[in-house]
PDB file of all heavy atoms in Angstrom:
ATOM      1  N   ALA A 388       1.964  18.409 -31.585  1.00 95.00           N
ATOM      2  CA  ALA A 388       0.520  18.300 -31.395  1.00 95.00           C
ATOM      3  C   ALA A 388      -0.179  18.083 -32.730  1.00 95.00           C
ATOM      4  O   ALA A 388      -1.074  17.226 -32.850  1.00 95.00           O
ATOM      5  CB  ALA A 388      -0.013  19.564 -30.715  1.00 95.00           C
ATOM      6  N   ALA A 389       0.223  18.833 -33.748  1.00 95.00           N
ATOM      7  CA  ALA A 389      -0.383  18.675 -35.071  1.00 95.00           C
ATOM      8  C   ALA A 389      -0.100  17.293 -35.643  1.00 95.00           C
ATOM      9  O   ALA A 389      -0.988  16.650 -36.223  1.00 95.00           O
ATOM     10  CB  ALA A 389       0.147  19.759 -36.011  1.00 95.00           C
ATOM     11  N   GLY A 390       1.130  16.813 -35.452  1.00 93.00           N
ATOM     12  CA  GLY A 390       1.483  15.492 -35.953  1.00 93.00           C
ATOM     13  C   GLY A 390       0.662  14.386 -35.307  1.00 93.00           C
ATOM     14  O   GLY A 390       0.208  13.453 -35.973  1.00 93.00           O
ATOM     15  N   LEU A 391       0.450  14.477 -33.995  1.00 92.00           N
ATOM     16  CA  LEU A 391      -0.357  13.471 -33.303  1.00 92.00           C
ATOM     17  C   LEU A 391      -1.820  13.555 -33.727  1.00 92.00           C
ATOM     18  O   LEU A 391      -2.502  12.527 -33.839  1.00 92.00           O
ATOM     19  CB  LEU A 391      -0.231  13.665 -31.792  1.00 92.00           C
ATOM     20  CG  LEU A 391       1.154  13.421 -31.193  1.00 92.00           C
ATOM     21  CD1 LEU A 391       1.150  13.715 -29.693  1.00 92.00           C
ATOM     22  CD2 LEU A 391       1.626  11.990 -31.455  1.00 92.00           C
ATOM     23  N   ALA A 392      -2.296  14.769 -33.975  1.00 94.00           N
ATOM     24  CA  ALA A 392      -3.665  14.921 -34.457  1.00 94.00           C
ATOM     25  C   ALA A 392      -3.829  14.294 -35.840  1.00 94.00           C
ATOM     26  O   ALA A 392      -4.853  13.663 -36.133  1.00 94.00           O
ATOM     27  CB  ALA A 392      -4.050  16.399 -34.487  1.00 94.00           C
ATOM     28  N   HIS A 393      -2.817  14.449 -36.675  1.00 91.00           N
ATOM     29  CA  HIS A 393      -2.859  13.814 -38.002  1.00 91.00           C
ATOM     30  C   HIS A 393      -2.903  12.283 -37.894  1.00 91.00           C
ATOM     31  O   HIS A 393      -3.431  11.604 -38.785  1.00 91.00           O
ATOM     32  CB  HIS A 393      -1.655  14.242 -38.841  1.00 91.00           C
ATOM     33  CG  HIS A 393      -1.795  15.597 -39.466  1.00 91.00           C
ATOM     34  ND1 HIS A 393      -2.824  15.926 -40.328  1.00 91.00           N
ATOM     35  CD2 HIS A 393      -1.033  16.717 -39.348  1.00 91.00           C
ATOM     36  CE1 HIS A 393      -2.689  17.173 -40.728  1.00 91.00           C
ATOM     37  NE2 HIS A 393      -1.611  17.684 -40.143  1.00 91.00           N
ATOM     38  N   LYS A 394      -2.347  11.733 -36.815  1.00 91.00           N
ATOM     39  CA  LYS A 394      -2.402  10.286 -36.580  1.00 91.00           C
ATOM     40  C   LYS A 394      -3.772   9.825 -36.090  1.00 91.00           C
ATOM     41  O   LYS A 394      -4.007   8.631 -35.935  1.00 91.00           O
ATOM     42  CB  LYS A 394      -1.355   9.871 -35.529  1.00 91.00           C
ATOM     43  CG  LYS A 394       0.077   9.843 -36.027  1.00 91.00           C
ATOM     44  CD  LYS A 394       1.054   9.642 -34.874  1.00 91.00           C
ATOM     45  CE  LYS A 394       0.788   8.389 -34.045  1.00 91.00           C
ATOM     46  NZ  LYS A 394       1.155   7.148 -34.759  1.00 91.00           N
ATOM     47  N   GLY A 395      -4.652  10.790 -35.807  1.00 92.00           N
ATOM     48  CA  GLY A 395      -5.986  10.454 -35.338  1.00 92.00           C
ATOM     49  C   GLY A 395      -6.195  10.638 -33.856  1.00 92.00           C
ATOM     50  O   GLY A 395      -7.286  10.379 -33.340  1.00 92.00           O
ATOM     51  N   ALA A 396      -5.147  11.076 -33.132  1.00 93.00           N
ATOM     52  CA  ALA A 396      -5.299  11.314 -31.700  1.00 93.00           C
ATOM     53  C   ALA A 396      -6.232  12.498 -31.462  1.00 93.00           C
ATOM     54  O   ALA A 396      -6.384  13.381 -32.317  1.00 93.00           O
ATOM     55  CB  ALA A 396      -3.937  11.583 -31.065  1.00 93.00           C
ATOM     56  N   ASN A 397      -6.839  12.516 -30.297  1.00 94.00           N
ATOM     57  CA  ASN A 397      -7.744  13.598 -29.910  1.00 94.00           C
ATOM     58  C   ASN A 397      -6.920  14.638 -29.152  1.00 94.00           C
ATOM     59  O   ASN A 397      -6.753  14.545 -27.933  1.00 94.00           O
ATOM     60  CB  ASN A 397      -8.857  13.038 -29.032  1.00 94.00           C
ATOM     61  CG  ASN A 397     -10.168  13.766 -29.225  1.00 94.00           C
ATOM     62  OD1 ASN A 397     -10.186  14.881 -29.725  1.00 94.00           O
ATOM     63  ND2 ASN A 397     -11.248  13.138 -28.827  1.00 94.00           N
ATOM     64  N   VAL A 398      -6.373  15.606 -29.862  1.00 95.00           N
ATOM     65  CA  VAL A 398      -5.366  16.511 -29.321  1.00 95.00           C
ATOM     66  C   VAL A 398      -5.942  17.901 -29.083  1.00 95.00           C
ATOM     67  O   VAL A 398      -6.618  18.465 -29.951  1.00 95.00           O
ATOM     68  CB  VAL A 398      -4.150  16.619 -30.264  1.00 95.00           C
ATOM     69  CG1 VAL A 398      -3.057  17.473 -29.629  1.00 95.00           C
ATOM     70  CG2 VAL A 398      -3.616  15.241 -30.617  1.00 95.00           C
ATOM     71  N   PHE A 399      -5.635  18.433 -27.902  1.00 97.00           N
ATOM     72  CA  PHE A 399      -5.991  19.799 -27.540  1.00 97.00           C
ATOM     73  C   PHE A 399      -4.700  20.553 -27.265  1.00 97.00           C
ATOM     74  O   PHE A 399      -3.784  20.019 -26.639  1.00 97.00           O
ATOM     75  CB  PHE A 399      -6.870  19.813 -26.287  1.00 97.00           C
ATOM     76  CG  PHE A 399      -8.175  19.092 -26.458  1.00 97.00           C
ATOM     77  CD1 PHE A 399      -8.239  17.710 -26.285  1.00 97.00           C
ATOM     78  CD2 PHE A 399      -9.330  19.776 -26.806  1.00 97.00           C
ATOM     79  CE1 PHE A 399      -9.438  17.031 -26.449  1.00 97.00           C
ATOM     80  CE2 PHE A 399     -10.534  19.101 -26.963  1.00 97.00           C
ATOM     81  CZ  PHE A 399     -10.594  17.727 -26.791  1.00 97.00           C
ATOM     82  N   VAL A 400      -4.625  21.806 -27.700  1.00 98.00           N
ATOM     83  CA  VAL A 400      -3.391  22.565 -27.531  1.00 98.00           C
ATOM     84  C   VAL A 400      -3.701  24.015 -27.176  1.00 98.00           C
ATOM     85  O   VAL A 400      -4.658  24.598 -27.696  1.00 98.00           O
ATOM     86  CB  VAL A 400      -2.516  22.486 -28.811  1.00 98.00           C
ATOM     87  CG1 VAL A 400      -3.210  23.112 -30.011  1.00 98.00           C
ATOM     88  CG2 VAL A 400      -1.147  23.115 -28.588  1.00 98.00           C
ATOM     89  N   THR A 401      -2.901  24.590 -26.282  1.00 98.00           N
ATOM     90  CA  THR A 401      -3.088  25.976 -25.851  1.00 98.00           C
ATOM     91  C   THR A 401      -2.358  26.925 -26.804  1.00 98.00           C
ATOM     92  O   THR A 401      -1.447  27.654 -26.422  1.00 98.00           O
ATOM     93  CB  THR A 401      -2.582  26.181 -24.414  1.00 98.00           C
ATOM     94  OG1 THR A 401      -1.191  25.851 -24.373  1.00 98.00           O
ATOM     95  CG2 THR A 401      -3.352  25.317 -23.436  1.00 98.00           C
ATOM     96  N   SER A 402      -2.793  26.894 -28.045  1.00 97.00           N
ATOM     97  CA  SER A 402      -2.168  27.707 -29.078  1.00 97.00           C
ATOM     98  C   SER A 402      -3.113  27.786 -30.265  1.00 97.00           C
ATOM     99  O   SER A 402      -3.979  26.919 -30.435  1.00 97.00           O
ATOM    100  CB  SER A 402      -0.829  27.092 -29.516  1.00 97.00           C
ATOM    101  OG  SER A 402      -0.258  27.809 -30.594  1.00 97.00           O
ATOM    102  N   THR A 403      -2.915  28.794 -31.084  1.00 93.00           N
ATOM    103  CA  THR A 403      -3.671  28.898 -32.334  1.00 93.00           C
ATOM    104  C   THR A 403      -2.892  28.304 -33.502  1.00 93.00           C
ATOM    105  O   THR A 403      -3.354  28.373 -34.642  1.00 93.00           O
ATOM    106  CB  THR A 403      -3.975  30.374 -32.633  1.00 93.00           C
ATOM    107  OG1 THR A 403      -2.740  31.094 -32.729  1.00 93.00           O
ATOM    108  CG2 THR A 403      -4.829  30.985 -31.531  1.00 93.00           C
ATOM    109  N   LYS A 404      -1.733  27.681 -33.195  1.00 90.00           N
ATOM    110  CA  LYS A 404      -0.836  27.221 -34.254  1.00 90.00           C
ATOM    111  C   LYS A 404      -0.754  25.702 -34.359  1.00 90.00           C
ATOM    112  O   LYS A 404       0.184  25.171 -34.938  1.00 90.00           O
ATOM    113  CB  LYS A 404       0.566  27.785 -34.016  1.00 90.00           C
ATOM    114  CG  LYS A 404       0.611  29.307 -33.945  1.00 90.00           C
ATOM    115  CD  LYS A 404       1.991  29.807 -33.582  1.00 90.00           C
ATOM    116  CE  LYS A 404       2.028  31.327 -33.456  1.00 90.00           C
ATOM    117  NZ  LYS A 404       3.367  31.832 -33.051  1.00 90.00           N
ATOM    118  N   GLY A 405      -1.722  24.983 -33.794  1.00 79.00           N
ATOM    119  CA  GLY A 405      -1.622  23.533 -33.753  1.00 79.00           C
ATOM    120  C   GLY A 405      -2.250  22.799 -34.903  1.00 79.00           C
ATOM    121  O   GLY A 405      -2.442  21.575 -34.836  1.00 79.00           O
ATOM    122  N   GLY A 406      -2.614  23.524 -35.965  1.00 87.00           N
ATOM    123  CA  GLY A 406      -3.184  22.853 -37.128  1.00 87.00           C
ATOM    124  C   GLY A 406      -4.455  22.109 -36.797  1.00 87.00           C
ATOM    125  O   GLY A 406      -5.405  22.688 -36.263  1.00 87.00           O
ATOM    126  N   PRO A 407      -4.476  20.802 -37.041  1.00 94.00           N
ATOM    127  CA  PRO A 407      -5.703  20.041 -36.771  1.00 94.00           C
ATOM    128  C   PRO A 407      -5.985  19.806 -35.290  1.00 94.00           C
ATOM    129  O   PRO A 407      -7.076  19.353 -34.941  1.00 94.00           O
ATOM    130  CB  PRO A 407      -5.441  18.715 -37.488  1.00 94.00           C
ATOM    131  CG  PRO A 407      -3.959  18.576 -37.518  1.00 94.00           C
ATOM    132  CD  PRO A 407      -3.428  19.977 -37.667  1.00 94.00           C
ATOM    133  N   ALA A 408      -5.045  20.060 -34.416  1.00 96.00           N
ATOM    134  CA  ALA A 408      -5.310  19.948 -32.979  1.00 96.00           C
ATOM    135  C   ALA A 408      -6.324  21.015 -32.571  1.00 96.00           C
ATOM    136  O   ALA A 408      -6.369  22.104 -33.142  1.00 96.00           O
ATOM    137  CB  ALA A 408      -4.018  20.109 -32.183  1.00 96.00           C
ATOM    138  N   LYS A 409      -7.129  20.693 -31.572  1.00 96.00           N
ATOM    139  CA  LYS A 409      -8.200  21.607 -31.141  1.00 96.00           C
ATOM    140  C   LYS A 409      -7.614  22.684 -30.228  1.00 96.00           C
ATOM    141  O   LYS A 409      -6.996  22.363 -29.215  1.00 96.00           O
ATOM    142  CB  LYS A 409      -9.292  20.817 -30.410  1.00 96.00           C
ATOM    143  CG  LYS A 409      -9.901  19.702 -31.241  1.00 96.00           C
ATOM    144  CD  LYS A 409     -10.865  18.872 -30.416  1.00 96.00           C
ATOM    145  CE  LYS A 409     -11.432  17.718 -31.213  1.00 96.00           C
ATOM    146  NZ  LYS A 409     -10.409  16.682 -31.503  1.00 96.00           N
ATOM    147  N   PRO A 410      -7.821  23.956 -30.549  1.00 97.00           N
ATOM    148  CA  PRO A 410      -7.236  25.022 -29.724  1.00 97.00           C
ATOM    149  C   PRO A 410      -7.981  25.193 -28.403  1.00 97.00           C
ATOM    150  O   PRO A 410      -9.207  25.110 -28.334  1.00 97.00           O
ATOM    151  CB  PRO A 410      -7.386  26.267 -30.598  1.00 97.00           C
ATOM    152  CG  PRO A 410      -8.558  25.974 -31.477  1.00 97.00           C
ATOM    153  CD  PRO A 410      -8.532  24.492 -31.724  1.00 97.00           C
ATOM    154  N   LEU A 411      -7.223  25.438 -27.340  1.00 98.00           N
ATOM    155  CA  LEU A 411      -7.767  25.769 -26.029  1.00 98.00           C
ATOM    156  C   LEU A 411      -7.513  27.243 -25.752  1.00 98.00           C
ATOM    157  O   LEU A 411      -6.438  27.754 -26.069  1.00 98.00           O
ATOM    158  CB  LEU A 411      -7.096  24.926 -24.942  1.00 98.00           C
ATOM    159  CG  LEU A 411      -7.395  23.434 -24.945  1.00 98.00           C
ATOM    160  CD1 LEU A 411      -6.436  22.705 -24.007  1.00 98.00           C
ATOM    161  CD2 LEU A 411      -8.845  23.166 -24.546  1.00 98.00           C
ATOM    162  N   PRO A 412      -8.466  27.933 -25.138  1.00 98.00           N
ATOM    163  CA  PRO A 412      -8.246  29.360 -24.845  1.00 98.00           C
ATOM    164  C   PRO A 412      -7.176  29.561 -23.780  1.00 98.00           C
ATOM    165  O   PRO A 412      -7.000  28.724 -22.887  1.00 98.00           O
ATOM    166  CB  PRO A 412      -9.616  29.837 -24.363  1.00 98.00           C
ATOM    167  CG  PRO A 412     -10.296  28.608 -23.849  1.00 98.00           C
ATOM    168  CD  PRO A 412      -9.800  27.474 -24.704  1.00 98.00           C
ATOM    169  N   PHE A 413      -6.466  30.664 -23.868  1.00 98.00           N
ATOM    170  CA  PHE A 413      -5.382  30.969 -22.937  1.00 98.00           C
ATOM    171  C   PHE A 413      -5.289  32.474 -22.774  1.00 98.00           C
ATOM    172  O   PHE A 413      -5.917  33.240 -23.514  1.00 98.00           O
ATOM    173  CB  PHE A 413      -4.053  30.401 -23.438  1.00 98.00           C
ATOM    174  CG  PHE A 413      -3.687  30.859 -24.833  1.00 98.00           C
ATOM    175  CD1 PHE A 413      -2.988  32.049 -25.036  1.00 98.00           C
ATOM    176  CD2 PHE A 413      -4.049  30.107 -25.947  1.00 98.00           C
ATOM    177  CE1 PHE A 413      -2.666  32.486 -26.311  1.00 98.00           C
ATOM    178  CE2 PHE A 413      -3.733  30.535 -27.232  1.00 98.00           C
ATOM    179  CZ  PHE A 413      -3.041  31.721 -27.422  1.00 98.00           C
ATOM    180  N   VAL A 414      -4.498  32.897 -21.788  1.00 98.00           N
ATOM    181  CA  VAL A 414      -4.286  34.322 -21.517  1.00 98.00           C
ATOM    182  C   VAL A 414      -2.840  34.674 -21.849  1.00 98.00           C
ATOM    183  O   VAL A 414      -1.915  33.987 -21.412  1.00 98.00           O
ATOM    184  CB  VAL A 414      -4.584  34.658 -20.046  1.00 98.00           C
ATOM    185  CG1 VAL A 414      -4.211  36.111 -19.737  1.00 98.00           C
ATOM    186  CG2 VAL A 414      -6.053  34.409 -19.729  1.00 98.00           C
ATOM    187  N   GLU A 415      -2.650  35.728 -22.615  1.00 97.00           N
ATOM    188  CA  GLU A 415      -1.307  36.218 -22.927  1.00 97.00           C
ATOM    189  C   GLU A 415      -0.916  37.312 -21.933  1.00 97.00           C
ATOM    190  O   GLU A 415      -1.723  38.167 -21.588  1.00 97.00           O
ATOM    191  CB  GLU A 415      -1.253  36.769 -24.346  1.00 97.00           C
ATOM    192  CG  GLU A 415      -1.399  35.704 -25.417  1.00 97.00           C
ATOM    193  CD  GLU A 415      -1.074  36.235 -26.807  1.00 97.00           C
ATOM    194  OE1 GLU A 415       0.097  36.628 -27.014  1.00 97.00           O
ATOM    195  OE2 GLU A 415      -1.966  36.262 -27.656  1.00 97.00           O
ATOM    196  N   THR A 416       0.339  37.279 -21.494  1.00 97.00           N
ATOM    197  CA  THR A 416       0.815  38.227 -20.483  1.00 97.00           C
ATOM    198  C   THR A 416       1.994  39.066 -20.944  1.00 97.00           C
ATOM    199  O   THR A 416       2.492  39.892 -20.182  1.00 97.00           O
ATOM    200  CB  THR A 416       1.254  37.471 -19.215  1.00 97.00           C
ATOM    201  OG1 THR A 416       2.446  36.722 -19.522  1.00 97.00           O
ATOM    202  CG2 THR A 416       0.171  36.529 -18.716  1.00 97.00           C
ATOM    203  N   ASN A 417       2.482  38.818 -22.126  1.00 94.00           N
ATOM    204  CA  ASN A 417       3.675  39.496 -22.651  1.00 94.00           C
ATOM    205  C   ASN A 417       4.955  39.070 -21.945  1.00 94.00           C
ATOM    206  O   ASN A 417       5.959  39.780 -22.008  1.00 94.00           O
ATOM    207  CB  ASN A 417       3.520  41.021 -22.599  1.00 94.00           C
ATOM    208  CG  ASN A 417       2.397  41.513 -23.485  1.00 94.00           C
ATOM    209  OD1 ASN A 417       2.252  41.055 -24.616  1.00 94.00           O
ATOM    210  ND2 ASN A 417       1.577  42.419 -22.977  1.00 94.00           N
ATOM    211  N   HIS A 418       4.908  37.932 -21.248  1.00 98.00           N
ATOM    212  CA  HIS A 418       6.136  37.349 -20.707  1.00 98.00           C
ATOM    213  C   HIS A 418       6.006  35.833 -20.771  1.00 98.00           C
ATOM    214  O   HIS A 418       4.988  35.277 -20.340  1.00 98.00           O
ATOM    215  CB  HIS A 418       6.386  37.783 -19.272  1.00 98.00           C
ATOM    216  CG  HIS A 418       7.801  37.533 -18.836  1.00 98.00           C
ATOM    217  ND1 HIS A 418       8.283  36.264 -18.545  1.00 98.00           N
ATOM    218  CD2 HIS A 418       8.847  38.383 -18.670  1.00 98.00           C
ATOM    219  CE1 HIS A 418       9.555  36.355 -18.202  1.00 98.00           C
ATOM    220  NE2 HIS A 418       9.921  37.630 -18.285  1.00 98.00           N
TER     221      HIS A 418
END
Side-chain angles (χ1 to χ4, degrees):
L391 295 177
H393 281 301
K394 285 171 56 73
N397 213 341
V398 185
F399 298 84
V400 63
T401 60
S402 175
T403 59
K404 303 175 182 178
K409 302 174 183 70
L411 292 168
F413 55 87
V414 174
E415 291 191 63
T416 69
N417 296 317
H418 197 286

